[in-house]
Structures are given as structure tokens and as C-alpha cells.
Amino acid sequence: MTILLTDAWCWLCISMAIFLLTAFIMGRQSKYFYTMDVVPRQFSITDLQLPSCQKELVNLIKGIYTMPAANRQQTLRALRGQLWVDFLFMPAAYGSIFLVCIKVASKMNPAGTLLFNILAWLQLLCWLCDIIENIYLLQKIGPNVSESTKTVHRTYQFLEIIKWGFSLLAIVCGLSALLFFWVTGNFAISSLHYLLIIVGEIVIFMALQKLPAREPSPAT
């Protein structure tokens, strides 16, 4: 744990770089997500992750398969590709949250240390839920997709609540604590160059976002 704390900021710079790179790739892939809903409409990965009922997920996937062949293949390739890239995104995203929480825990009182250590290790549970989610969606994507049972769908929704709930809670608490340390001056000067590296990575990511992407083929 001592080695982890010593190198936490270095590992955070690496995980953030992977996180931003995979987020950029996934963002480009999402531009090709279209389904037929009376007329072609764009959808996002959250439409698959957070469907209100079993039928909504099924209708969205069936809508992809009713698109013209070229558009259908474009969407399916991008959608499956994003789900596979997500397996690289996961360790980078949850790893970054984990490292922030572990670093914050080392600067807290005993109660705060316990809280942030729990939030850190809960990211492993979030990661597991995300893996199960992706496997479930990869199996669902097919021309003969059928509705899951209510039990399976509720379990899927429960996994989403765990994944989003604990990860967002850790992000909010971790960033709030870091901001507090910054405002109060309770930080090591040696950590500032790591902050500059992360800021630089974010600036590069934002610049890449402005690059023009190849437009999806128009639906015919």
C-alpha cells in the first residue's frame, strides 16, 4: 500500500490518459448509433444501459436490424466496437477513481480514511457490474433478440444502480476533498506537476474532440 500511495499520482496520470483516449474512441463510435423508430433516430449507449423496461431495449435493438443494410452494419460495427473498447475504458475509469480515493484517504482522519478506503475498494464492485453489463448487452445484440424476464431485467437495473451509484458517489466525494485540500493549501508542492500533466491530457482530449469526424452514411 505504501508503494501505491507513493506512486499514486504517476499511476493516475497513466490511467487518466487511457481513460481519455478510450473515451475519445467511444465518443467517435457513438456518432454511428442509429435505430429505426418510425424514422431513423440516433441513440446513445445509455439508452441500452438504462432502459425503463425489457421491451424498450428489445425495440431499440430490433430497430437497428430494420435499418438499410449499410446503415445497419455501420451501427452494429460501431456498437459492438464500443462495448469491446469499454473493457479497456473500465479499468482506466475505475482505477482513476480508486487512486483518487486512496490518496485522499491517506490525508484524512481515521473516520475519513475508512470512508475513502471503502469508496476506493467499492470500485472493484462497480467494475464487476460493468463487465456483467457489457457481456449481457453483447449477447442481446442480434436479429432474434427477445425480452428478458422481469427478474433478469430487475437484476440488470440493480447492477446499474450499484455501478453508477458508488462510482458517482466516489467521484463527488473525492473531487470535493481534493478541492478542499487545494483551497486550504493542504497539498504537497511535488504533486503540482502531476496536476499539470492531467490538465494537459484533458486539453489534448478537448482539442481532439474538435477534430471533424467522418459523417455516418445517410439512411435510405
Side-chain angles (χ1 to χ4, degrees):
M1 183 64 73
T2 302
I3 295 176
L4 178 62
L5 288 173
T6 302
D7 298 332
W9 293 126
C10 180
W11 283 111
L12 181 60
C13 290
I14 295 171
S15 63
M16 280 296 295
I18 298 172
F19 165 78
L20 292 171
L21 176 60
T22 50
F24 170 74
I25 294 172
M26 292 165 68
R28 289 300 172 104
Q29 290 169 324
S30 66
K31 294 182 183 296
Y32 302 98
F33 291 180
Y34 281 88
T35 186
M36 185 65 73
D37 185 12
V38 182
V39 296
R41 70 169 178 89
Q42 197 166 20
F43 68 92
S44 68
I45 194 66
T46 54
D47 293 322
L48 291 173
Q49 294 174 334
L50 302 170
S52 59
C53 62
Q54 309 98 297
K55 190 173 183 179
E56 182 180 336
L57 177 62
V58 170
N59 288 343
L60 193 152
I61 295 173
K62 285 184 175 180
I64 296 173
Y65 282 91
T66 58
M67 296 281 287
N71 306 99
R72 178 174 67 247
Q73 291 305 316
Q74 193 175 60
T75 295
L76 290 173
R77 184 165 54 249
L79 180 56
R80 290 194 178 105
Q82 185 178 109
L83 290 172
W84 284 111
V85 172
D86 195 27
F87 284 110
L88 296 176
F89 174 86
M90 292 177 202
Y94 299 119
S96 296
I97 300 171
F98 174 87
L99 290 168
V100 168
C101 289
I102 286 293
K103 195 65 178 178
V104 168
S106 68
K107 299 176 69 65
M108 286 285 188
N109 57 32
T113 297
L114 177 62
L115 171 64
F116 278 95
N117 276 326
I118 291 174
L119 288 175
W121 290 105
L122 278 173
Q123 301 315 302
L124 294 178
L125 178 59
C126 296
W127 186 3
L128 176 61
C129 291
D130 215 345
I131 290 173
I132 295 172
E133 170 205 296
N134 272 26
I135 293 173
Y136 174 78
L137 291 177
L138 283 168
Q139 292 179 335
K140 275 291 183 182
I141 300 171
N144 300 316
V145 60
S146 58
E147 291 184 19
S148 299
T149 63
K150 286 186 177 181
T151 301
V152 171
H153 183 69
R154 286 172 181 168
T155 302
Y156 178 67
Q157 289 179 315
F158 181 65
L159 293 178
E160 290 296 317
I161 292 172
I162 293 176
K163 183 190 82 170
W164 288 105
F166 287 136
S167 59
L168 289 176
L169 178 62
I171 290 171
V172 171
C173 292
L175 292 181
S176 297
L178 290 178
L179 179 61
F180 173 78
F181 294 145
W182 176 263
V183 171
T184 58
N186 185 16
F187 60 91
I189 299 298
S190 59
S191 65
L192 288 178
H193 68 281
Y194 292 115
L195 175 62
L196 292 176
I197 292 173
I198 293 174
V199 170
E201 291 173 348
I202 295 173
V203 169
I204 293 173
F205 170 76
M206 294 175 66
L208 289 174
Q209 291 287 76
K210 295 184 180 297
L211 293 177
R214 185 171 63 88
E215 290 297 321
S217 300
T220 56

